[in-house]
Amino acid sequence: MTTRFFDIESGEIQLVERGGDQSISFPVSIVQNKNQKENAFARRHHYNWDLPIAKIKSYLENLTKKEELSIDFFFVLSLKGTDQPVRIRVGNPRFLTNYFMKGEMAIFSEQENHWLSAVPYFTLKGVNLSLTYNQYEKEAYDYFRKHKKHWNSVKKQAKNRAVWIVGERSYKAQDNGYHFFKYLRTNHPEIDAYYVIQRDSPERKHVAPFGNVIDFGSKDHFEKVIQADYICGTHHPDSLYPIRSREYIKNISAKKIFLQHGVFGTKNIAPIYAKWVNEFYTDLFITSSEKERQIAIIDMGYHDEEVVATGLARFETLFKNDIPLKRQVLIIPTWRDWITNNQNFEESEYFKRYEELLFDPRLKEFAEKFGLELIFCLHPNMQDYVRYFENAPVTVIKQGDRDVQDLIKESMVMLTDYSSVAFDFSFLHKPVVYYQFDRNRFLGKNPSHLDLDNELPGDIAFDEDKVIEYLFKIGENQFKMAEEYIEKADNFIKYRDRYSNERIFKAIQNIPKQNKVKKFLRDDPLALKVFARYRRSKYYFPTMKLFYKFLSHFGKTNDRQIVFESGVGKRYEDSPRMIYEKMIDNKEDYDYIWIMNNNAPLKVNPHTKIIKRLSPSYYKYLATSKYWVNNQNFPTYLTKPKQTQYLQTWHGTPLKKMQHDQEQIEGRDEGYLARVTHAKNQWSALVSPSPYATQAFRSAFQYNGPVLELGYPRNDVFYTPHIDEKRESIRRKLNIAEDKKVIFYAPTFRDNQKKGKKFTMKNKINFRIFERRLGEDYVLLIREHVVVAGKLNIPEEFRHNIINVSKYPDVQELMIASDMLVTDYSSVMFDYANTNKPMYFYCYDLDEYDDMHGFYFDLEEQAPGPIVKNTSNLFRAIAKGHQYWDNYGEKYQVFQNRFAPLDGPDRAEKVYKAFFKR
């Protein structure tokens, strides 16, 4: 355990039931690490504790909830020199501790005549230590103990029949699990389909008429899960297991199907359900639309064959016109994962906001004016707090009282926040209002999969006044959904019919067989961890070089395969992107490979293969592809196979002298020129935007090969239709107000600023001066060069109008969003000339940079904008923007004619046809 500044005086371990108040504490022995320095900033401590079984047993026996209860571990610490104790979660284990953790604490309770079981696990998001607590009847747990080492014999008992396990949460039966189970029992009696649910669940009545209902934690439950061929659940598959012991789970061989519990997209679910998340495994991911399917592939890392767009199982009855519409409003907020007990809830903004809304006299006035009943339905995870709303002037729905889908079908309007049921409601083309007062906290560090302000099918309110306003507006419109929201809703559903279960069933039957070894090496966290360590070793690159050399000589070349890379695999942008997207638009028949650290290229073509730079697959595809396209160089130690054609698009018109034109090269070792010359010798053709650039390229690179002097494909974006709409969309994505002017600052890197082998750069913009001079009317976007390793630090006080866009995926989009450019010597100036917007040159080190590099032309003479050398003068020049065109209009036109004479629409098509069709 590590603390900062303070030593630990004493402490205890506290176990607290999640969602409740019952807790128990134990003393913990904490000893400071004797080997650390006396004045060390971080204070490291060793700790250990003992949990007396008798005390634990008494605590577990007195818990109200007996099944699937989470119990969390906390440190309660007294720090030297402080008055108040500190309470923190126990967690953050080492990888191997997490990966190999197993075991269970099982105690027989004579008082309950049950086995009490507590299985340790680490939570997904915080990686904190918790227990899953269950009580088991003696017969069931004795069966489990008896077969611990003999599950194969249990499995063989069902080898001649197909066993399907279906369910939701252990207490639920009204969502996709219920609907799919109903379909199986009604349409496929030949299948042994079983539904898992707690014996005393109020929702058990929904599945009971179909038979084959298994009590959660029963003997049958232990047996059937082992025998299952398919496990179909709406959450993590382990929520359908009778016990979460890893020793039991490793014997389960069933294919896992993620039926989902709602259309996703609003909240980023990658930290919970992504391909790379430990403990979440699925062989088939069910979605409702191509849009949602692409999110699963692009944002969550699933392979194309693992995700299907069938519609959710519950849609079969959603679209059944069997329930009359009632004059009622359904208020149905989702849960908050930071609310875990009564104290959290009572102090939460969630409680405050909804209490104020439900008691707002204007809401009552709305209901009375239009003759509506107000229905308030809390999420299942918030059912422990229903009592806090019992006195509200609304009808409060408790868990199990009503089927949520019935409420959706019979209500006239829905008020929610982020709940996925809003999509279901919108699919019926009924109006939705979103109340998102805590959006930033709810979304957390991970941005939404959607552009919420532009893609959600309903009005979005951030305060109570707007909620009331939108509700009255909907009422005045006779509760009809606006056409724009109908269109948005339809983007999230592929089939508005009642055959979703049939499609799900067929998709499950068509799950391809997988090679277990290949799957382990590709997906298992331990395999990935071992490879990552090997990847960092001194043996990796020599091995890859031999691997590449062997394949390039003896491997079979794919004549239809193209490898694209941009920005050393860090950015999906520039000319390679535009060429790729134009080829996809034109349906060119090639196999596309993108070297990329994310899945962005899949947005335009889900069949493109994404490869990590410098991975084994990277060398494989470079060695066996007929075509390469890059805007920088592939590793200089690689020699292109003889049959491969390599299109070098380069990454900008040069201002500064490069390579062989430099008298002295700063920041590079002795072998630099030899390496880049070897890399240049691999090029089959080079793209140029102008005669000026062609001359500079031939001189700098000593290149005598073919040049495609056709303009830069990357600048096609400035000549596309609807550019104004695109500009507005980009600005909304960056949360820039309509009335703000946007300054885009894009400096290049400095060869003489390095830390080790990586380039760094000091920020030379004085944020305080910007705030004082221009902060009221302007927003400043700052983008570091791709090779700069340092992270730009923008103090919190300036982040409302200074935005770090270094990781924004497309620099051309930032140019479109901006109103002016500030740069120094970056080639971005030549692209920006296509926008016809002002440019300012912040060249604080002009003389030093010129001495170090040299320029191909006199920047001071030809720059189409003022050159300034400090922040004050820069912002003073921008403030005089009304004089810009009078002073620099003529220079701007000359600049365009010399450096961007060939840029225009469809350069990407001209370039790729000139290269690939020659």
Side-chain angles (χ1 to χ4, degrees):
M1 184 199 314
T2 304
T3 60
R4 292 181 176 179
F5 305 113
F6 297 101
D7 290 319
I8 298 174
E9 194 167 70
S10 62
E12 62 181 20
I13 288 289
Q14 192 176 67
L15 276 64
V16 184
E17 65 164 332
R18 193 177 301 169
D21 299 318
Q22 290 180 270
S23 64
I24 187 172
S25 299
F26 303 92
V28 58
S29 172
I30 302 173
V31 180
Q32 189 169 329
N33 185 351
K34 296 178 180 178
N35 297 323
Q36 71 180 6
K37 296 178 181 178
E38 186 174 341
N39 296 320
F41 172 70
R43 314 296 176 90
R44 299 184 181 278
H45 303 79
H46 299 291
Y47 63 87
N48 63 75
W49 74 79
D50 296 315
L51 303 182
I53 292 296
K55 196 173 179 181
I56 285 282
K57 179 180 177 183
S58 175
Y59 171 66
L60 297 177
E61 287 174 333
N62 289 309
L63 290 172
T64 304
K65 190 175 179 182
K66 308 296 183 184
E67 292 172 313
E68 292 294 276
L69 173 65
S70 291
I71 301 172
D72 299 320
F73 284 77
F74 290 86
F75 281 118
V76 180
L77 305 174
S78 295
L79 304 178
K80 292 180 181 178
T82 64
D83 297 330
Q84 297 295 323
V86 176
R87 189 168 180 261
I88 57 172
R89 289 295 304 270
V90 178
N92 194 26
R94 293 182 177 178
F95 172 81
L96 291 178
T97 303
N98 188 352
Y99 185 85
F100 286 110
M101 185 176 68
K102 59 183 181 179
E104 173 198 11
M105 180 167 56
I107 312 164
F108 185 73
S109 169
E110 295 80 5
Q111 174 184 316
E112 300 284 334
N113 196 31
H114 279 69
W115 280 92
L116 315 180
S117 167
V119 177
Y121 72 97
F122 287 105
T123 60
L124 278 172
K125 292 182 72 174
V127 200
N128 294 314
L129 182 63
S130 297
L131 299 171
T132 298
Y133 170 61
N134 282 291
Q135 279 195 18
Y136 298 99
E137 292 182 348
K138 188 173 184 303
E139 178 195 15
Y141 198 82
D142 285 348
Y143 176 84
F144 165 69
R145 295 176 72 200
K146 178 181 177 181
H147 292 89
K148 269 187 177 181
K149 299 187 183 299
H150 308 288
W151 290 119
N152 279 337
S153 62
V154 173
K155 201 173 295 185
K156 288 176 182 178
Q157 294 170 16
K159 66 178 181 180
N160 295 323
R161 65 183 193 273
V163 176
W164 294 48
I165 297 292
V166 186
E168 298 167 9
R169 294 289 195 189
S170 62
Y171 53 87
K172 286 190 66 61
Q174 63 165 276
D175 200 353
N176 293 312
Y178 157 68
H179 288 284
F180 188 58
F181 178 69
K182 177 183 176 182
Y183 166 83
L184 290 176
R185 295 294 290 159
T186 304
N187 296 278
H188 294 282
E190 75 281 5
I191 289 174
D192 282 352
Y194 297 90
Y195 196 94
V196 176
I197 192 167
Q198 293 174 10
R199 183 181 298 170
D200 58 355
S201 168
E203 297 185 14
R204 186 185 179 95
K205 61 189 177 189
H206 298 152
V207 288
F210 303 105
N212 278 15
V213 179
I214 296 176
D215 294 341
F216 184 90
S218 65
K219 170 183 172 294
D220 282 346
H221 192 189
F222 280 104
E223 177 186 87
K224 298 304 180 188
V225 168
I226 291 293
Q227 294 174 346
D229 298 284
Y230 301 101
I231 295 176
C232 309
T234 57
H235 293 76
H236 280 237
D238 59 11
S239 64
L240 294 179
Y241 301 160
I243 193 168
R244 303 198 186 194
S245 162
R246 290 185 179 180
E247 292 172 307
Y248 175 81
I249 292 172
K250 71 181 182 183
N251 293 284
I252 300 171
S253 58
K255 289 184 171 66
K256 286 86 176 176
I257 292 83
F258 185 34
L259 296 173
Q260 282 214 75
H261 47 280
V263 176
F264 68 83
T266 306
K267 184 174 175 66
N268 193 315
I269 64 170
I272 304 172
Y273 295 118
K275 179 80 174 175
W276 56 81
V277 172
N278 192 17
E279 303 293 345
F280 181 70
Y281 304 104
T282 187
D283 296 283
L284 189 67
F285 196 124
I286 302 299
T287 64
S288 301
S289 64
E290 281 302 319
K291 184 179 188 67
E292 191 184 8
R293 181 174 176 272
Q294 287 307 305
I295 293 172
I297 294 170
I298 295 166
D299 294 357
M300 301 169 69
Y302 286 94
H303 301 286
D304 189 53
E305 69 277 6
E306 294 174 326
V307 191
V308 290
T310 58
L312 301 184
R314 68 191 188 210
F315 291 171
E316 182 166 322
T317 53
L318 179 69
F319 293 114
K320 185 179 181 182
N321 190 19
D322 60 340
I323 295 180
L325 194 64
K326 296 181 181 179
R327 299 197 68 80
Q328 68 185 32
V329 179
L330 178 58
I331 305 172
I332 184 167
T334 191
W335 63 301
R336 303 298 190 270
D337 58 11
W338 60 86
I339 297 177
T340 57
N341 56 49
N342 292 335
Q343 183 179 348
N344 288 157
F345 182 79
E346 290 167 5
E347 297 172 354
S348 69
E349 184 182 14
Y350 177 96
F351 175 45
K352 178 176 178 289
R353 292 276 195 156
Y354 278 104
E355 184 179 46
E356 289 175 351
L357 175 65
L358 297 182
F359 283 94
D360 191 322
R362 295 173 297 173
L363 184 64
K364 182 181 179 183
E365 179 190 344
F366 165 72
E368 290 175 349
K369 178 177 180 178
F370 294 102
L372 301 166
E373 182 183 4
L374 301 173
I375 307 292
F376 185 63
C377 181
L378 280 177
H379 188 279
N381 290 358
M382 304 294 278
Q383 285 297 310
D384 291 333
Y385 314 113
V386 166
R387 67 183 185 275
Y388 288 93
F389 299 101
E390 286 177 347
N391 295 322
V394 296
T395 301
V396 178
I397 302 294
K398 296 181 179 178
Q399 179 64 33
D401 285 354
R402 293 289 309 277
D403 187 309
V404 171
Q405 191 174 82
D406 289 349
L407 292 170
I408 289 171
K409 292 167 73 172
E410 67 187 24
S411 298
M412 296 183 74
V413 60
M414 174 181 284
L415 173 60
T416 184
D417 43 15
Y418 317 96
S419 176
S420 65
V421 297
F423 287 111
D424 296 47
F425 201 84
S426 72
F427 295 156
L428 298 176
H429 294 167
K430 296 191 292 185
V432 179
V433 175
Y434 295 89
Y435 185 22
Q436 299 184 345
F437 54 84
D438 58 351
R439 179 192 283 186
N440 289 338
R441 185 174 187 187
F442 183 82
L443 295 180
K445 295 184 297 183
N446 301 294
S448 170
H449 297 294
L450 308 176
D451 180 351
L452 296 181
D453 294 323
N454 297 301
E455 293 188 90
L456 289 182
D459 295 308
I460 303 172
F462 298 101
D463 58 58
E464 194 170 324
D465 291 342
K466 276 293 181 184
V467 171
I468 302 299
E469 178 186 326
Y470 289 142
L471 288 174
F472 271 98
K473 183 184 76 171
I474 288 168
E476 298 295 346
N477 195 38
Q478 299 179 338
F479 298 93
K480 293 177 182 177
M481 192 179 202
E483 285 298 324
E484 65 169 307
Y485 294 138
I486 290 176
E487 187 177 334
K488 289 179 180 181
D490 289 348
N491 288 332
F492 291 93
I493 187 164
K494 186 174 183 179
Y495 305 101
R496 296 185 76 249
D497 63 24
R498 299 185 58 212
Y499 302 106
S500 52
N501 283 303
E502 186 176 316
R503 288 188 289 270
I504 293 169
F505 181 72
K506 289 179 180 177
I508 292 172
Q509 291 186 311
N510 291 327
I511 294 174
K513 290 185 178 179
Q514 290 191 329
N515 182 302
K516 290 184 179 180
V517 174
K518 184 177 179 181
K519 183 175 175 63
F520 172 81
L521 293 174
R522 187 181 71 179
D523 300 334
D524 189 272
L526 180 60
L528 296 174
K529 192 77 172 179
V530 170
F531 174 76
R533 177 163 290 189
Y534 168 61
R535 169 73 174 74
R536 295 191 297 269
S537 76
K538 64 181 180 181
Y539 304 106
Y540 180 74
F541 285 109
T543 305
M544 290 300 104
K545 290 176 187 178
L546 288 173
F547 175 58
Y548 172 82
K549 192 172 184 179
F550 176 83
L551 277 183
S552 61
H553 283 85
F554 302 107
K556 185 179 179 181
T557 300
N558 183 338
D559 291 337
R560 310 298 303 168
Q561 192 161 277
I562 311 171
V563 173
F564 290 90
E565 182 177 303
S566 179
V568 291
K570 294 179 180 179
R571 290 175 175 169
Y572 175 56
E573 64 178 10
D574 213 298
S575 294
R577 172 181 177 173
M578 298 305 293
I579 291 170
Y580 162 74
E581 291 187 355
K582 179 55 71 172
M583 293 181 76
I584 297 297
D585 283 346
N586 291 345
K587 297 181 171 55
E588 298 288 357
D589 184 22
Y590 289 92
D591 297 330
Y592 299 97
I593 312 295
W594 255 97
I595 311 304
M596 197 65 207
N597 60 5
N598 62 53
N599 290 329
L602 298 181
K603 290 180 180 178
V604 294
N605 181 32
H607 304 295
T608 295
K609 189 178 289 291
I610 304 297
I611 301 299
K612 297 285 187 185
R613 193 169 188 272
L614 304 180
S615 67
S617 293
Y618 178 76
Y619 296 97
K620 170 190 169 183
Y621 285 105
L622 283 177
T624 58
S625 295
K626 178 66 180 288
Y627 302 103
W628 296 357
V629 180
N630 203 340
N631 72 337
Q632 298 201 45
N633 282 314
F634 290 105
T636 54
Y637 51 79
L638 298 183
T639 300
K640 172 178 66 70
K642 291 181 180 178
Q643 63 273 28
T644 296
Q645 298 294 305
Y646 179 3
L647 177 62
Q648 174 57 255
T649 70
W650 203 241
H651 48 275
T653 299
L655 162 65
K656 63 184 181 183
K657 290 185 178 180
M658 303 181 294
Q659 297 184 13
H660 292 280
D661 287 342
Q662 290 180 260
E663 293 182 9
Q664 181 178 347
I665 299 178
E666 292 282 346
R668 310 285 187 174
D669 60 31
E670 289 183 8
Y672 168 72
L673 269 182
R675 291 196 304 274
V676 295
T677 300
H678 175 76
K680 172 267 300 181
N681 291 338
Q682 313 308 307
W683 303 349
S684 304
L686 172 64
V687 176
S688 171
S690 65
Y692 160 83
T694 300
Q695 182 180 354
F697 288 155
R698 289 202 181 279
S699 173
F701 304 140
Q702 294 189 356
Y703 176 73
N704 297 313
V707 173
L708 304 181
E709 197 176 277
L710 298 169
Y712 263 148
R714 72 187 192 181
N715 292 330
D716 282 3
V717 67
F718 300 123
Y719 300 93
T720 55
H722 313 298
I723 191 75
D724 290 335
E725 289 90 335
K726 188 175 183 71
R727 168 185 163 87
E728 290 174 12
S729 174
I730 298 164
R731 287 167 69 107
R732 280 195 300 266
K733 197 184 302 182
L734 294 168
N735 293 319
I736 298 172
E738 291 181 13
D739 60 340
K740 294 285 188 178
K741 293 179 182 178
V742 176
I743 304 167
F744 177 36
Y745 177 45
T748 191
F749 69 103
R750 303 299 192 267
D751 301 75
N752 60 348
Q753 292 184 24
K754 295 185 80 173
K755 187 174 183 179
K757 294 184 178 181
K758 293 185 177 181
F759 290 99
T760 60
M761 189 165 177
K762 297 174 183 176
N763 170 52
K764 292 291 185 176
I765 293 284
N766 187 312
F767 298 149
R768 200 165 297 281
I769 294 177
F770 168 77
E771 179 70 25
R772 188 171 65 249
R773 293 271 180 87
L774 302 175
E776 190 172 332
D777 300 314
Y778 289 78
V779 169
L780 176 62
L781 307 180
I782 304 179
R783 184 178 178 86
E784 294 182 311
H785 192 279
V786 67
V787 304
V788 174
K791 292 183 178 179
L792 176 67
N793 179 34
I794 301 173
E796 184 71 34
E797 62 184 300
F798 302 117
R799 290 180 191 172
H800 62 286
N801 60 1
I802 302 178
I803 306 172
N804 182 0
V805 291
S806 300
K807 293 184 179 179
Y808 192 87
D810 192 331
V811 67
Q812 257 71 13
E813 287 193 358
L814 296 173
M815 295 187 216
I816 291 170
S818 67
D819 295 291
M820 64 202 70
L821 172 72
V822 175
T823 188
D824 43 18
Y825 322 106
S826 170
S827 65
V828 72
M829 70 176 76
F830 303 105
D831 299 323
Y832 205 79
N834 289 278
T835 69
N836 294 307
K837 291 185 284 193
M839 289 187 263
Y840 299 86
F841 297 84
Y842 182 28
C843 303
Y844 53 84
D845 57 351
L846 178 61
D847 295 335
E848 178 187 355
Y849 196 89
D850 192 7
D851 290 342
M852 183 170 56
H853 271 282
F855 296 140
Y856 286 110
F857 64 87
D858 189 330
L859 180 63
E860 291 182 278
E861 183 181 318
Q862 298 188 41
I867 295 177
V868 297
K869 297 189 177 182
N870 60 59
T871 301
S872 293
N873 288 338
L874 171 63
F875 296 139
R876 189 175 293 116
I878 290 173
K880 297 177 181 178
H882 57 283
Q883 301 174 6
Y884 179 87
W885 291 110
D886 290 338
N887 294 333
Y888 297 100
E890 189 176 331
K891 272 191 170 185
Y892 203 104
Q893 189 170 359
V894 171
F895 192 85
Q896 287 176 317
N897 292 339
R898 183 180 184 195
F899 300 113
L902 301 174
D903 285 346
D906 300 322
R907 300 297 104 180
E909 185 167 7
K910 290 181 182 296
V911 167
Y912 92 68
K913 286 185 175 179
F915 180 72
F916 291 101
K917 307 292 185 182
R918 58 182 181 165

